[in-house]
Amino acid sequence: GIQVEQSPPDLILQEGANSTLRCNFSDSVNNLQWFHQNPWGQLINLFYIPSGTKQNGRLSATTVATERYSLLYISSSQTTDSGVYFCAVDNTNAGKSTFGDGTTLTVKP
Amino acid sequence: NAGVTQTPKFQVLKTGQSMTLQCAQDMNHEYMSWYRQDPGMGLRLIHYSVGAGITDQGEVPNGYNVSRSTTEDFPLRLLSAAPSQTSVYFCASSYSPTGGSRSNEQFFGPGTRLTVL
């Protein structure tokens, strides 16, 4: 099956700093999503981005499908950005996502 | 819309007991799936369904059964609970045929935290 690798595994930032999270995948995909898992365990949809670039406030994402990677940018980080960020891909069009192991982000005040 | 709902939120079982985790969605989605998340890891697919009456196995199906008698509901049954099934379980849904360019976006329920003693 498809492999998903996220980097870095852990990231510690001071409030106000910028960061880039990376997701590499081993095969072509139909769907790619970024999620934020908050400290209560809830999975929050950030971006549905099988290709191209999208922005939502301080967050933006870019997927280069031909090169099999996606990037999530967080600018001017806040303590509420802390948590685990997951990349999930699907190459089956059957609602079968494969998740990476996540990047744990800690933003210090 | 309530989105994807899961019950219960927490459950403690003894080894060998059986139970059903409930999942429902009100978004008229065709696809539904169950995942488990173990500490420090991403989610792994247990079972999935592409429509009422159709189910199939995912990456880690052993010890679990599913059925899909309606579009809205997708229960997960633990047949004989084992400590290795201690995990957080997430249900997800996606794909509305009339949903446009984001019709494959997957939405997750709040999860069920299960402990097997």
Side-chain angles (χ1 to χ4, degrees), chain A residues 40-92:
Chain A
W40 296 271
Q42 187 179 8
L43 284 164
I44 309 297
N45 288 35
L46 296 178
F47 292 101
Y48 172 75
I49 187 166
S51 63
T53 297
K54 292 185 179 180
Q55 181 157 6
N56 185 4
R58 296 181 295 105
L59 274 60
S60 64
T62 295
T63 297
V64 183
T66 53
E67 297 188 20
R68 299 179 185 169
Y69 73 89
S70 182
L71 301 173
L72 177 68
Y73 305 97
I74 305 174
S75 64
S76 303
S77 57
Q78 301 175 357
T79 56
T80 52
D81 294 330
S82 295
V84 184
Y85 289 80
F86 287 107
C87 170
V89 303
D90 182 6
N91 63 349
T92 68

Side-chain angles (χ1 to χ4, degrees), chain B residues 25 29-30 32 49-53 55 67-71 73-74:
Chain B
Q25 54 92 9
H29 282 166
E30 295 287 327
M32 296 186 75
S49 168
V50 297
T55 63
S67 60
R68 183 104 179 267
S69 57
T70 67
T71 301
D73 300 298
F74 191 41

